[in-house]
Amino acid sequence: MTILTGKAEARRRLQPDRLGVLRKIWEHRADYAYVLPAIAVMLIVIAYPIYYTIELSFFNTPPGLQLRDKIFVGIDNYTAILTSPVFWKVTSNTLIWTLGSTLISFVLGFACALALHRDFVGRGILRAILIIPWVISAVAASYIWKWIYHSDFGIIGAVLVGLGLTDRPPNFIDSVSTVLPSLIVVNIWREFPFAMIMMMAGLQTVPDQLLRAAKVDGANAWQRFWHVTFPHLRNVSTVTILLLAVANFNSFIIPWIMTGGGPSNASHIWITHIYELAFGRQRWGVASAYSVLLFLILMSLGYFYVRALSGNEQRGGGE
Amino acid sequence: MSAIAETVHRSQARSRARIDGWRWGGRVFLVFMLLYTALPMIWMLITSIKSGFAAMQFPPQWWPDQPTLASYQKLLDPQNSVGQDFLRFFWNSLFVSSATTILSVIVAVPAAYAFSRFTFPGRNFLFFAVLLRNMFPAVIFLVPLFILMRAIGLVNTHGSLVLTYLTFGLPLAIWLLKGFYDNIPVQLEQAARIDGATRFQAFFLIVMPLSAPGIIATAIYSFIGAWNEYIYAYTFLSKNEQLTLPVGIQRFFSENTTDFPGLMAASFMMSVPVVVLFLVLQRYFVRALTEGAVKH
């Protein structure tokens, strides 16, 4: 018995490792046929652009994107970014935008999921209505809210004046101090339904027996939520928050259409700033350097995302 | 004895009161969220049936004195230039979204199946590489893709949009479908194999029909994503007759920024197809979306 396994062990060790991998790949060649089209598409439109962005970030390119005339400038684009005061303004905007939108969307979505978890008349309809903002286009949402915030004919301003709270309608998105919070309100309007859907699905997996047992033991509603429901939802919450954070960090349409980053950069976030640098001011090299920095930030976020996902998978498999 | 009964009774009453408090809090909260969600959409509809003059009044008319469908008629009338543009944008969006949907299903189905069933070297790496794509914003890919599209002559064609929409449609499509395939028992295929089917036949004749709900959900997701996409269309297309709705509406109304009723009517009509599609099929959709993140 022991001799046999010893022989097999020896035979396996004799085989060169690299050849083993190649043979394995060859043995599975039919499997790759299934994923090949997907991988090919991803290579052309993802791997190549990433490589090209990195290359371009070390060059200066004249306006009009005349690539033959590009000049190697080393890390000048990077130092230009880090020493520019706009960079810090835009970075702090991005942090406020991402954290504010993500946390409030998550809390509102989670609260809706909890409130909708119990069955009552009209629950299905209510859920459907609450999801709609997430489905309609961000462009439509931007125009709707631009109209609501309108400084002369906007409905919120009219209500505030009607209630006697102000003399004239406030400039929600035309004033440096209110523009970012006003845009965050629009963004949350579009995003909380996503958190709601995810958390509703998560709530369905919380075992009823645990909740009933906690009730028998005398736990009140808050204690049941805090000690039973919430710990059970830790994985879904992590994945939801990460997805929201990435989506918000990457959002473009709402700030771009509603304000274009203004007034005086007060609502510029990284993405809109990069777009303006590239396609507005034709500073392709600086825009590419920004993209590379963004890429590095997102890669580190991605690391946590993958970890959260694989943790989820393991737990799911164990159950 | 009576004292104990009284305490039990009192504590029950207290706990019922507390539960009712939570329930009432939940209801109040839901009403607030309903108003937050619905009022902007209602205001969009009310504005869309105002005349241009009625919309520009302060304080606003909560309900128009003379409701009119003029904005809708104008947008849907092939005789005037506004209607011609709008209908063409609508058609372009429909074409690009449908093409993207069909292609991403064709490419994603086999890939998702392979990720779910086979264990080939590099499987996990490839799966996460595919997923990671969705972490990156369109802007990172915009400059190089613009150069690439220019080099292969696809700028100012709908082909450039379909190709780029695949990149963000595919990862999610693969993820959604993999969740569905994971839930289809392998034994069904094994039985078919024993009966003499090839692996491809087992996949095509047994697994495909069972995963129809997942394929529908994936298709809706791709369609909505492509229908609502803005930044690539905004960058790649410049000719008026090629624009898709999100970009078309913007170009269109930046010339005439005071026509808010027209803008609201256009926003409404742009939202109708995706909202209807979503509401009809939301059951599949919500299930598919959450399947990957929440294991049952």
Side-chain angles (χ1 to χ4, degrees), chain A residues 60 96 143 162 181 229 267 280 310:
Chain A
N60 262 349
I96 297 171
Y143 283 121
T229 308
S267 62
S310 44

Side-chain angles (χ1 to χ4, degrees), chain A residues 235-283:
Chain A
N235 277 323
V236 198
S237 305
T238 315
V239 171
T240 307
I241 289 176
L242 274 167
L243 285 173
L244 280 174
V246 168
N248 288 322
F249 194 79
N250 292 342
S251 37
F252 175 78
I253 298 178
I254 289 172
W256 186 255
I257 291 190
M258 290 189 71
T259 62
S264 53
N265 295 331
S267 62
H268 252 316
I269 54 176
W270 269 49
I271 302 291
T272 57
H273 188 54
I274 292 175
Y275 191 89
E276 203 200 327
L277 283 169
F279 290 91
R281 288 192 248 158
Q282 312 245 336
R283 297 183 61 193

